[in-house]
Amino acid sequence: MKKDLILKTIFRILTYSTFLATIGIFLVVIIDGARYFSIDFFIKYPSNAMTEGGVFPAIVGSLILISLGIIFSVPLGIIMGIFLSEYDTLFFIKPIDVALTSLSGIPSIVYGLFGLSLFCIRMNLGTSLISASLTLSLMTLPVIASSVKEAVKAVPVELREAAYALGCNKTEVISKVLLKAAKNRIITSALIGSGRIFGETAPIILTGAVFFSTHLPKSFLDPVMALPSHIYYASMAYGESAQWMAKASSALLLIIVLIIYSIAFTMRRGKIGLDNRGK
Amino acid sequence: MYRELKYLLNTITIFAVATLSIVILTLIFIFMISESLPALKSVGSEIFTSFNWYPTYDDAEYGLLTMIVDSFLLTFLTSLVVIPLGYIVSAYLYAYANLREKEIVRSVLDLLSGVPSVVIGSVVLIYIAPVLITFEIWSTENLLLTIIGLTILSLPYVVSLTYESFESVDKVLFESALALGSSRFSALFIVITRAALPGILNAFILTVNRIMGETMVVLMVSGNANIIPKSLFDPLRTLTSAIASEMGEVELGSLHYSVLFVAGLILLIISLILTWISKSIQRSWKH
Amino acid sequence: MDWIIEVNNLSAFYGEKIALKNINIKFPKKVITAIIGPSGCGKSTLVRCLNRINDEIPNFKVTGEIYFKGKNIYDPDIDISEFRKNVGMVFQKPTVFPMSIYDNVAFGPRIHGIKDKRKLDLIVEKALRDAALWDEVKDELKKTATQLSGGQQQRLCIARAIAVEPEVLLLDEPTSALDPIATKKIEFLLEELSEKYTIIIVTHNLAQAIRISDYMAFLYRGDLIEFGETSKIVNQPESELTEAYLNGQIS
Ligand SMILES: Nc1ncnc2c1ncn2[C@@H]1O[C@H](COP(=O)(O)OP(=O)(O)O)[C@@H](O)[C@H]1O
Ligand SMILES: [Mg+2]
């Protein structure tokens, strides 16, 4: 059909050009930024107003943030997801579901404000590692919970019934059968959550990130440097001579996040991992 | 005995954690409101009616209206670009693309959805803004660049959601339309779009919510000037970027601090309204 | 005798898997031909080739030819929209569009360029009358079609298909989702329609095939085992396989 041929061509051009442009941009970021990678870049502190040195403390800071963030959000997210999937006949599932959906729509900057007022000020934790990672984990909680819910829901009913038939009670079915059967997709959820934590900037500049630090955090109450906030400061606050720093850090952050996401989505498609049920 | 105890404990744990979501939402509300109260009390309605934002002057003014207008304006303009573009890309994928194209584009979308917004901000700043200079446009932080950044950010999101709602319609409806001699486009545009309407509207609302709440891209490339832009090359400032850029410098507990919480409260309420709309669209279509 | 569709050496594949093996068949004009056979034997695949709707399935391939009134429908030059207009199709589950009854029936004519409201009104009324649905819905044409009962929906799909005045009507198990009363109505309707249209119906229900069809094609594991007049096949099947199927030994 002629109409289809014309539209197909136009739509294809639009689709291809947006995609190639977007991919092109990110390739440029990685290629252009990776030119500045060196041993020093990974093991040194930034110096001379961000124009020299490396991002060692930012990398370490981000790794600590992500680890703490996961410790809080992953277990809670998994339990919430299981609740939403397995107890969905209860009357108060609805307010909980609504609350979680609302939480997942709240802008990250609002989480930042909340973290600032609750953790930093009210709980007197100050601008610190612990405030930032608590804020990040609150923010990721609904993301993890809703994808765990989908994962657990996807486990075939027969598996549950077989377990009940063997005399398992509900929590045993959950811990012995469902969690194992949905393991891959739960790991995917956790990975997506951590990818999100790793790149999030707005909440941590309010609650725990500093633009410069001469030492690694000595306690949970110390503020940290983190990779995303470092990119922000390096691209905004300093001139041309710090631009390489912003480029290299962006490339690094992008590579790390893309790796996390690739693993996550490859696992979801069942290309690696143990349980290939479902098909 | 031990087994029953364990069952009881586990069940209690699950219920306790689940209720945590309500607790968190309530806490967010309480804290946002209580931190906003000082400003709402002592500055009053001026916050919402004044365009003037001079929080650090002796004779301080705390009008958020410019930023409110800018937030809506930016969201509106970006949606105008990203929603039709997202619809077209999804339409291409659904009605025309072959299996290979579908797979490649969808995997790329999955990956792009994870690109942190701070990276997009720095991309626009470092790589795209200089392009404008070659067109003799000297403001390298402006509305146009912000729209570009937000488009890159939200396109994967809107395409995934829209495409998924197309896919959720039974394929046989598409075939029925084709069997009547309809073009693929009409089959998609008239039949599938209508059948998938709640999902599509939901996708659009979630995208709007995302754009409205985005901070880093706006903070980095909007120019952060408290004016309402008159052209694409003017700078602007949204509620989100105002909070992010000024919170670091305010005196804790001051009026300035409190007004920034009012800005956050506005964002919170907008996002809750959008979530509520999205939920009720889905609900009304189920019956 | 006249035929309208001629299938020549048609083989069909889903990826590597073969679904139809070298089928040769000529569908006669203005009669009901039933395609029967155990499930998975390729009945749907065959009818879905006849209007090329199986092109929609990724990795689906055919070899051989299908001629519609002497033209090869797999010819790359063919205007697929114009061709499909001549070969209507009704699916297993009713596939009403999420719009009003009127708009459902008017969908085809509108696609093919009829804009005039009065003309559309006439077409819609005629199609609904032909599909024996007019009396039931004439007062609520604006009602959303999904509110109709299953049997009414299926008749609406038939009305929608005949509103573009096709020559052939393909039906893939159109009554398998319906109750016996609705099924009877559709069977009756098809017999009426066969005076004007060539009807090719896939059915899993042997009694139904015998009741309504003039010709019968029996498929087994992708092969066309037997094709001929229904009365002849029922009384004196040539193949033992057909006989076994008719006796209920294969299903
Ligand atoms: N979309 C498809 N993908 C792969 N194989 C299919 C598909 N549709 C049908 N088949 C296979 O082709 C064969 C014929 O199917 P079909 O024509 O639907 O049979 P029938 O309609 O007689 O039940 C079956 O073995 C079936 O499994
Ligand atoms: Mg079939």
Side-chain angles (χ1 to χ4, degrees):
Chain A
M1 259 198 98
K2 206 151 175 199
K3 181 175 157 197
D4 266 338
L5 207 65
I6 297 168
L7 281 169
K8 179 179 179 173
T9 316
I10 298 174
F11 283 18
R12 176 180 254 162
I13 292 172
L14 274 170
T15 305
Y16 277 36
S17 41
T18 18
F19 267 84
L20 293 179
T22 322
I23 296 169
I25 292 171
F26 293 120
L27 275 182
V28 169
V29 173
I30 291 176
I31 296 168
D32 192 33
R35 289 189 299 145
Y36 304 103
F37 286 180
S38 64
I39 309 274
D40 280 357
F41 178 72
F42 293 102
I43 61 162
K44 284 211 162 145
Y45 283 71
S47 52
N48 235 337
M50 300 254 183
T51 58
E52 284 164 34
V55 291
F56 176 68
I59 298 175
V60 175
S62 276
L63 289 177
I64 303 175
L65 278 176
I66 204 177
S67 320
L68 286 177
I70 289 177
I71 290 176
F72 295 120
S73 62
V74 169
L76 294 180
I78 290 177
I79 297 176
M80 271 185 195
I82 285 173
F83 179 83
L84 288 173
S85 161
E86 298 307 302
Y87 293 82
D88 59 354
T89 47
L90 291 176
F91 70 95
F92 59 92
I93 188 88
K94 218 167 148 198
I96 289 178
D97 186 40
V98 170
L100 262 183
T101 319
S102 308
L103 286 175
S104 64
I106 295 177
S108 58
I109 191 79
V110 175
Y111 277 100
L113 288 176
F114 174 61
L116 173 70
S117 58
L118 172 62
F119 302 127
C120 305
I121 300 173
R122 196 64 54 96
M123 289 169 67
N124 219 353
L125 299 171
T127 308
S128 64
L129 188 49
I130 191 77
S131 301
S133 43
L134 283 172
T135 309
L136 287 173
S137 57
L138 282 187
M139 217 185 76
T140 357
L141 192 54
V143 181
I144 296 177
S146 63
S147 61
V148 168
K149 168 188 161 190
E150 300 302 322
V152 177
K153 268 222 154 85
V155 176
V157 178
E158 295 81 18
L159 226 59
R160 293 185 179 81
E161 287 169 351
Y164 281 120
L166 290 171
C168 290
N169 61 40
K170 190 155 190 156
T171 60
E172 283 166 347
V173 172
I174 290 170
S175 62
K176 299 210 164 88
V177 180
L178 296 180
L179 282 181
K180 296 219 165 76
K183 191 171 96 196
N184 262 18
R185 291 192 49 184
I186 291 177
I187 296 175
T188 303
S189 317
L191 282 171
I192 291 178
S194 15
R196 174 118 184 243
I197 293 184
F198 207 84
E200 207 42 77
T201 319
I204 63 170
I205 56 181
L206 295 194
T207 55
V210 282
F211 69 95
F212 184 66
S213 166
T214 53
H215 59 88
L216 296 178
K218 294 197 175 65
S219 84
F220 288 149
L221 294 174
D222 275 359
V224 281
M225 278 182 77
L227 208 45
S229 50
H230 181 68
I231 295 172
Y232 166 59
Y233 296 124
S235 14
M236 302 297 292
Y238 302 89
E240 285 283 304
S241 47
Q243 216 183 45
W244 76 270
M245 181 70 102
K247 286 180 175 178
S249 309
S250 297
L252 182 61
L253 179 62
L254 190 57
I255 291 171
I256 295 173
V257 172
L258 288 184
I259 290 175
I260 296 178
Y261 269 63
S262 312
I263 299 173
F265 286 110
T266 323
M267 280 192 83
R268 191 171 71 182
R269 295 206 188 88
K271 281 183 192 137
I272 47 174
L274 309 165
D275 60 326
N276 274 326
R277 39 131 232 111
K279 264 224 179 121
Chain B
M1 184 57 213
Y2 167 73
R3 213 175 137 218
E4 259 127 56
L5 193 68
K6 204 169 152 198
Y7 171 75
L8 200 67
L9 281 177
N10 282 338
T11 311
I12 292 173
T13 313
I14 292 176
F15 278 59
V17 172
T19 9
L20 198 59
S21 59
I22 296 178
V23 174
I24 295 172
L25 187 62
T26 318
L27 276 180
I28 290 181
F29 245 107
I30 293 174
F31 272 84
M32 294 307 294
I33 292 175
S34 72
E35 300 294 76
S36 300
L37 270 182
L40 290 172
K41 272 193 196 134
S42 65
V43 186
S45 64
E46 185 198 299
I47 297 178
F48 306 101
T49 55
S50 160
F51 287 101
N52 299 326
W53 176 254
Y54 300 112
T56 51
Y57 284 39
D58 284 341
D59 194 8
E61 286 187 74
Y62 299 103
L64 289 177
L65 194 53
T66 314
M67 296 163 226
I68 296 175
V69 171
D70 280 2
S71 282
F72 278 96
L73 184 71
L74 181 63
T75 306
F76 175 74
L77 292 177
T78 307
S79 307
L80 223 53
V81 177
V82 89
I83 287 179
L85 193 58
Y87 182 86
I88 288 176
V89 172
S90 327
Y92 176 75
L93 290 183
Y94 186 85
Y96 299 113
N98 59 39
L99 217 56
R100 272 258 305 296
E101 287 177 313
K102 270 184 211 182
E103 248 167 42
I104 294 173
V105 173
R106 298 212 60 200
S107 323
V108 173
L109 279 177
D110 281 345
L111 286 184
L112 289 183
S113 69
V115 176
S117 55
V118 68
V119 171
I120 295 176
S122 83
V123 163
V124 176
L125 217 54
I126 297 176
Y127 298 102
I128 302 182
V131 178
L132 284 191
I133 296 179
T134 61
F135 291 100
E136 312 253 311
I137 292 151
W138 296 100
S139 71
T140 52
E141 291 172 14
N142 58 40
L143 177 58
L144 178 67
L145 288 170
T146 316
I147 294 175
I148 293 175
L150 290 174
T151 302
I152 298 175
L153 181 83
S154 49
L155 193 67
Y157 192 67
V158 68
V159 172
S160 303
L161 289 171
T162 313
Y163 181 76
E164 265 163 36
S165 46
F166 288 159
E167 286 273 279
S168 70
V169 177
D170 195 344
K171 187 92 205 279
V172 76
L173 275 188
F174 190 68
E175 292 176 351
S176 299
L178 293 185
L180 289 164
S182 146
S183 68
R184 307 179 76 76
F185 180 71
S186 304
L188 174 89
F189 189 66
I190 303 173
V191 178
I192 300 296
T193 299
R194 207 176 285 214
L197 206 56
I200 296 172
L201 288 179
N202 193 36
F204 294 169
I205 288 168
L206 293 179
T207 308
V208 166
N209 189 24
R210 183 112 193 225
I211 299 172
M212 184 69 103
E214 171 52 32
T215 309
M216 291 319 291
V217 172
V218 188
L219 178 62
M220 292 170 82
V221 300
S222 69
N224 216 3
N226 193 51
I227 57 165
I228 294 171
K230 304 267 179 315
S231 88
L232 281 176
F233 306 114
D234 284 348
L236 73 160
R237 161 191 275 190
T238 63
L239 292 168
T240 54
S241 64
I243 299 170
S245 62
E246 295 186 16
M247 200 40 116
E249 288 143 26
V250 298
E251 187 190 327
L252 296 184
S254 65
L255 262 189
H256 187 180
Y257 166 91
S258 178
V259 177
L260 290 177
F261 270 84
V262 176
L265 186 61
I266 297 173
L267 288 168
L268 174 65
I269 290 170
I270 293 172
S271 100
L272 291 179
I273 291 174
L274 288 171
T275 308
W276 175 77
I277 295 175
S278 128
K279 278 255 165 197
S280 41
I281 287 177
Q282 286 165 312
R283 217 174 306 125
S284 71
W285 243 274
K286 267 188 196 137
H287 300 309
Chain C
M1 192 200 47
D2 260 358
W3 54 79
I4 186 161
I5 293 180
E6 184 183 343
V7 178
N8 263 352
N9 298 325
L10 184 79
S11 297
F13 307 84
Y14 293 101
E16 300 289 292
K17 190 169 170 285
I18 188 159
L20 290 176
K21 303 171 195 163
N22 210 23
I23 305 286
N24 286 285
I25 192 169
K26 288 170 179 170
F27 290 100
K29 235 182 190 168
K30 297 201 175 168
V31 294
I32 301 183
T33 303
I35 299 175
I36 57 168
S39 88
C41 70
K43 304 181 297 291
S44 299
T45 307
L46 177 59
V47 283
R48 288 170 58 92
C49 285
L50 299 181
N51 69 346
R52 283 187 53 181
I53 207 70
N54 242 21
D55 292 9
E56 286 309 303
I57 294 177
N59 294 324
F60 179 76
K61 269 173 223 74
V62 290
T63 60
E65 298 107 43
I66 296 174
Y67 293 95
F68 172 72
K69 300 210 310 190
K71 269 204 301 275
N72 184 359
I73 66 168
Y74 280 100
D75 192 330
D77 290 343
I78 195 169
D79 181 344
I80 187 94
S81 155
E82 202 51 37
F83 158 68
R84 281 184 180 145
K85 182 174 172 243
N86 289 314
V87 184
M89 183 159 201
V90 175
F91 296 80
Q92 185 163 359
K93 271 187 298 171
T95 58
V96 299
F97 298 152
M99 46 183 90
S100 72
I101 296 172
Y102 183 97
D103 288 339
N104 260 278
V105 184
F107 181 87
R110 280 185 177 137
I111 287 288
H112 293 287
I114 298 177
K115 299 251 151 60
D116 183 38
K117 176 84 172 81
R118 257 180 324 177
K119 228 180 190 168
L120 282 173
D121 287 350
L122 288 178
I123 294 174
V124 169
E125 177 171 348
K126 180 157 182 310
L128 286 170
R129 275 190 197 283
D130 285 352
L133 194 59
W134 177 253
D135 292 331
E136 290 161 59
V137 301
K138 62 172 184 252
D139 299 323
E140 37 188 21
L141 292 176
K142 292 273 160 277
K143 195 162 104 173
T144 311
T146 43
Q147 292 173 313
L148 295 171
S149 74
Q152 289 175 321
Q153 288 193 18
Q154 197 60 301
R155 276 180 284 145
L156 180 64
C157 290
I158 295 177
R160 189 176 66 194
I162 59 184
V164 292
E165 302 183 330
E167 297 185 46
V168 180
L169 199 55
L170 309 172
L171 302 104
D172 188 356
E173 308 203 28
T175 60
S176 66
L178 304 181
D179 62 77
I181 295 170
T183 300
K184 267 269 152 336
K185 278 192 187 160
I186 300 243
E187 287 180 9
F188 185 71
L189 169 64
L190 292 178
E191 289 185 275
E192 299 255 290
L193 290 174
S194 70
E195 293 178 6
K196 286 202 317 210
Y197 305 95
T198 302
I199 293 180
I200 300 172
I201 178 172
V202 169
T203 173
H204 192 62
N205 176 342
L206 187 59
Q208 176 174 66
I210 295 171
R211 268 200 306 272
I212 64 171
S213 70
D214 307 288
Y215 284 78
M216 226 182 218
F218 173 54
L219 287 182
Y220 188 69
R221 298 198 176 159
D223 283 308
L224 175 65
I225 305 296
E226 200 164 342
F227 173 65
E229 281 182 49
T230 304
S231 53
K232 192 157 157 279
I233 290 191
V234 173
N235 295 322
Q236 306 165 290
E238 276 171 20
S239 151
E240 280 172 25
L241 271 173
T242 317
E243 193 168 347
Y245 184 71
L246 292 172
N247 294 336
Q249 285 158 0
I250 319 175
S251 59

